[in-house]
Amino acid sequence: MKTVLFGLKMDTNLGDYLIGYNLQKILSDRFPDDVFAYEDLKGRENDSKIKTNFIACVLIKLSSMLKSSSLCNVLEKAAFYQNNRRIKRFYKNILKDANTVVFAGGGLIECEHYGCHQYIHLITKICEQQGINIIYNAVGFNGEYKDTNGYRVLKECLNSKFVKAVSVRENIEELRKYTNCSATLVCDPACYCSRTYDESGDVEPRKKEGRKVGIGLIRPDIFQEFDLNLSAEDIEDVYISIVKKLEENNIDFEFFTNGVEADLKFGEKINRVLKTDYCIRVPQYDVDFMDIIQRYNVAGNVYQQFLNSI
């Protein structure tokens, strides 16, 4: 049996890589006789990279330079359709002997932020043609369906007769409104990171650095997806209040990111506002990320705390 896991494997957000990697490890341990291939949803990996035409290359390059996620998605969509035939051949080659496709989790179905719906739609159509089962694993869902093309396409994909299971890490009742398949609430596969990397031996065990707290940096615009009615200034104030509380209690802390440059810039802004120069750790690879997390007695981010309060 062969299962192909699709995720945002080549994104700068290392959290997305970890989701797919951990899922692959969990499934391989559980079903040692089966094959589990982990592929980048957009085909950006070196050994399986989609050959992109010149116009698509220009559009992708422009999208990577933009700060506006909505405009970035427009350019990515244009690049996708410029490159549609090549992408279709890439997927068909990967899926020719597959029994199941798993969308590995994370923000894959957040149309406006990641712009993945067109890739998911094409994979779904190939699965329907070839009789391949589809599973959505621990996907993030912001809880609000919008009557846009992206969400209409996504709803169609979720309701394909080949979708056999859907699990979500938040807003399960909202997701159930948009799929005929019974949805299940689960934890993120990244929760298994410690076990996965301990067993692989890729990360050397590290002693905790005293009583140290790690504060995960999340840029303010991410919060807008959940319509929390919070401005960038509100989010900055929350981080500043956390820093001041830790300072008052003489608790050592550092900032860290998951590799996204915009999160680093946000941390640098917090330092400027506070007129401080607190350490901001930025991982380059997944093992760096795990090494950073190991340093802290407590590590967390404001984003998750807000989600838990919704």
Side-chain angles (χ1 to χ4, degrees), residues 162-181:
F162 285 89
V163 173
K164 303 304 179 183
V166 177
S167 61
V168 65
R169 61 187 186 185
E170 69 245 340
N171 292 315
I172 186 169
E173 293 303 326
E174 290 299 319
L175 183 69
R176 282 173 175 163
K177 297 175 184 178
Y178 309 119
T179 174
N180 294 326
C181 192

Side-chain angles (χ1 to χ4, degrees), residues 18 39 47 60 99 120 140 160 163 197 205 269 281 301 304:
L18 290 175
E39 299 288 345
D47 60 356
I60 291 169
N99 305 98
I120 292 173
S160 168
V163 173
Y197 281 85
K269 183 177 182 182
R281 296 194 180 272
N301 62 58
Q304 194 59 49

